[in-house]
Amino acid sequence: MLWPEFIREVRVIISWKPTAALLGVLSLYLLSLMWSDNRKLGLQPIGYFCQFLIIFSAVVTVGRRDRNIIYRMLSVTVALGVAVALSVIVFRILPGLKLAYVLSPNAHFFISPNAQASIFNSQGGLPNDFNPLKSGGLIALNANKAGSVLGLLAGIALGLSLIRRSRTYGVMSIILLAAIPFTGSKAGLLLAAGMSLLALRLMGTYYSRWRNVLHLGMVVIVLLGTVAWLGPKAIRVQEGSSYKALGALAMRTNYSLSQREKVWAYGWQTFLTHPLKGQGFGGWQKGFPAYARKVGVEASLPPEDTIIYLWSQGGLLAAVLGIM
């Protein structure tokens, strides 16, 4: 049904730089199938690219006919995002409730079977998405994914508040931002900080009468983030020493960064070997485990960087288009 819209709006896709770059990456992905070790691994990302471009074309067509339809769709999406944000906070405070939710017979209505299966690690131990220092939400159980989704929706809510001159969307943006620190995701926390600064700048300009209220709201976000981030660590140390809690946070951050540096080092080594065409689909999964055993990291780790991922699967030009 969406093919006519895709064909009709193909000029928009080609002329708009972001979608033109995506179309270029898609073409390079299709080309990389020729030298890929596991072509099946390319079906999912290629399918996602095709779905996005087709749906984008349909949205452009609808938006040209009636822009209010787009606003209504975004409003519903942001409202659902607020529900996810509240669930992140609840699951962080009550991790047992999160486990009960995932294991419930009705969870498949919100979580795909593949996502449910991937929650548990290969050794059959503690579910890797149930770290008490992190939390996802109803439809995004992974903390990093939840933080990214909430940050994106916070930006949409902020944009709607400015376009529609609605304080309601501004409040929804604050709720979405306030939930990000509860995910425990470091990347999400940086995103929340950046979005908070942007919100202060834009909303303070447009809503000068509410500037003090907004400032207070952002301070509350920082305080909630501090409690959500350091609270469980402070409980675990003797006498609740905040210094020890901060030290535990620093150790975890350093360990995570150390792992990523080792992964990036492998990416750099393989880039020097075949920089132009990358590894193709399945190349990373084939070559990384042997390196991982040597340096002492998990063999199943992904590139941990979007640009490295694009290079690995589609080659140097795909990485350049990703930067654009």
Side-chain angles (χ1 to χ4, degrees), residues 163-180:
I163 295 172
R164 309 294 282 181
R165 298 283 182 172
S166 170
R167 298 189 186 96
T168 301
Y169 290 118
V171 173
M172 296 171 81
S173 178
I174 290 177
I175 294 173
L176 290 163
L177 284 173
I180 293 177

Side-chain angles (χ1 to χ4, degrees), residues 14 24 51 60 75 77 132 177 198-201 211 224 236 272:
I14 297 174
Q51 290 177 30
V60 170
S75 298
T77 303
L177 284 173
L198 179 63
L200 281 174
R201 177 68 181 88
R211 188 171 300 164
L224 288 175
R236 290 187 175 188
L272 294 176

Side-chain angles (χ1 to χ4, degrees), residues 56-97:
F56 172 82
S57 303
V59 171
V60 170
T61 300
V62 172
R64 286 180 172 178
R65 294 173 184 171
D66 187 354
R67 186 172 295 182
N68 289 323
I69 295 178
I70 305 300
Y71 290 145
R72 288 196 291 270
M73 292 170 59
L74 291 175
S75 298
V76 173
T77 303
V78 170
L80 292 174
V82 171
V84 173
L86 296 176
S87 70
V88 167
I89 296 173
V90 172
F91 286 163
R92 178 63 184 273
I93 298 173
L94 303 172
L97 183 61

Side-chain angles (χ1 to χ4, degrees), residues 173-195:
S173 178
I174 290 177
I175 294 173
L176 290 163
L177 284 173
I180 293 177
F182 282 86
T183 65
S185 167
K186 291 179 284 292
L189 195 61
L190 292 174
L191 180 61
M195 287 298 302

Side-chain angles (χ1 to χ4, degrees), residues 35-254:
W35 57 79
S36 293
D37 293 306
N38 189 341
R39 294 182 178 88
K40 290 183 180 180
L41 292 178
L43 298 179
Q44 187 180 66
I46 289 173
Y48 284 157
F49 272 116
C50 292
Q51 290 177 30
F52 174 81
L53 291 172
I54 293 173
I55 294 173
F56 172 82
S57 303
V59 171
V60 170
T61 300
V62 172
R64 286 180 172 178
R65 294 173 184 171
D66 187 354
R67 186 172 295 182
N68 289 323
I69 295 178
I70 305 300
Y71 290 145
R72 288 196 291 270
M73 292 170 59
L74 291 175
S75 298
V76 173
T77 303
V78 170
L80 292 174
V82 171
V84 173
L86 296 176
S87 70
V88 167
I89 296 173
V90 172
F91 286 163
R92 178 63 184 273
I93 298 173
L94 303 172
L97 183 61
K98 178 180 178 181
L99 180 59
Y101 161 70
V102 174
L103 298 179
S104 69
N106 297 321
H108 67 275
F109 290 112
F110 305 97
I111 312 170
S112 70
N114 290 336
Q116 283 182 296
S118 67
I119 292 171
F120 298 91
N121 60 36
S122 58
Q123 287 77 28
L126 183 69
N128 54 29
D129 273 0
F130 288 93
N131 185 332
L133 303 180
K134 292 188 175 184
S135 180
L138 289 173
I139 59 175
L141 291 175
N142 181 274
N144 292 326
K145 291 179 181 178
S148 300
V149 169
L150 294 176
L152 176 63
L153 292 176
I156 294 174
L158 175 60
L160 288 172
S161 71
L162 300 177
I163 295 172
R164 309 294 282 181
R165 298 283 182 172
S166 170
R167 298 189 186 96
T168 301
Y169 290 118
V171 173
M172 296 171 81
S173 178
I174 290 177
I175 294 173
L176 290 163
L177 284 173
I180 293 177
F182 282 86
T183 65
S185 167
K186 291 179 284 292
L189 195 61
L190 292 174
L191 180 61
M195 287 298 302
S196 298
L197 292 174
L198 179 63
L200 281 174
R201 177 68 181 88
L202 295 179
M203 297 184 72
T205 299
Y206 282 84
Y207 302 125
S208 58
R209 291 181 300 174
W210 290 79
R211 188 171 300 164
N212 293 333
V213 175
L214 290 169
H215 283 199
L216 178 61
M218 295 307 165
V219 170
V220 170
I221 288 176
V222 173
L223 292 175
L224 288 175
T226 303
V227 172
W229 188 271
L230 295 178
K233 299 178 178 65
I235 291 173
R236 290 187 175 188
V237 297
Q238 292 180 355
E239 300 177 357
S241 170
S242 59
Y243 293 103
K244 291 183 180 179
L246 289 170
L249 172 60
M251 289 179 63
R252 287 183 59 84
T253 302
N254 289 336

Side-chain angles (χ1 to χ4, degrees), residues 15 117 146 239 257 280:
S15 60
E239 300 177 357
L257 179 59

